[in-house]
Amino acid sequence: MNPKQFLQIGGAILLVLGIFGYFVPDVLSGMLTFGPAENGAHVVLGIVALVLAPLPIGDLKKWVVVLVGLVALFFAVAGFIVAANPPLNFYGLANLEMLDNVIHAVVGVWALLAAFGGK
């Protein structure tokens, strides 16, 4: 997978997830909860990724994907730290439950592999 494909697939997933979160804020009986700030971030990031994917901007796509990977890993680590606290547990903006943390870790690794893993 390359950065363009990551932006296309990841952007579509984030956009759908962000919209879904507005309608179904509590998934799997509290194992995954979406707050308004999380939904807004997912929608905006999804749109940005989908807009950037087809643009002929060369290596900039790679570094955007690296940034996405690092941010996702940051939220995974931060989430593991605050996971035992009650919602909204990340500066009053987001719920970072255990499933969120695992998903963020997977996305972070996926992004870095897309950026540095070759074609």
Side-chain angles (χ1 to χ4, degrees):
M1 172 164 298
N2 61 40
K4 178 181 179 179
Q5 293 166 323
F6 175 84
L7 291 171
Q8 290 170 325
I9 295 167
I13 291 170
L14 277 174
L15 183 58
V16 169
L17 185 65
I19 293 168
F20 175 78
Y22 283 114
F23 296 102
V24 185
D26 185 16
V27 182
L28 303 171
S29 300
M31 288 181 63
L32 194 59
T33 306
F34 300 109
E38 286 176 279
N39 295 330
H42 290 152
V43 168
V44 168
L45 291 171
I47 290 170
V48 168
L50 291 171
V51 168
L52 287 177
L55 295 179
I57 52 177
D59 265 0
L60 182 58
K61 275 187 237 186
K62 172 183 176 178
W63 294 110
V64 167
V65 173
V66 169
L67 180 63
V68 168
L70 294 175
V71 169
L73 290 175
F74 166 80
F75 277 104
V77 170
F80 285 119
I81 292 169
V82 301
N85 297 327
L88 300 161
N89 61 10
F90 188 75
Y91 296 104
L93 296 173
N95 298 309
L96 296 175
E97 297 91 9
M98 192 58 65
L99 186 55
D100 269 325
N101 305 334
V102 171
I103 292 169
H104 286 136
V106 168
V107 169
V109 170
W110 175 35
L112 295 176
L113 286 173
F116 296 116
K119 300 178 182 180

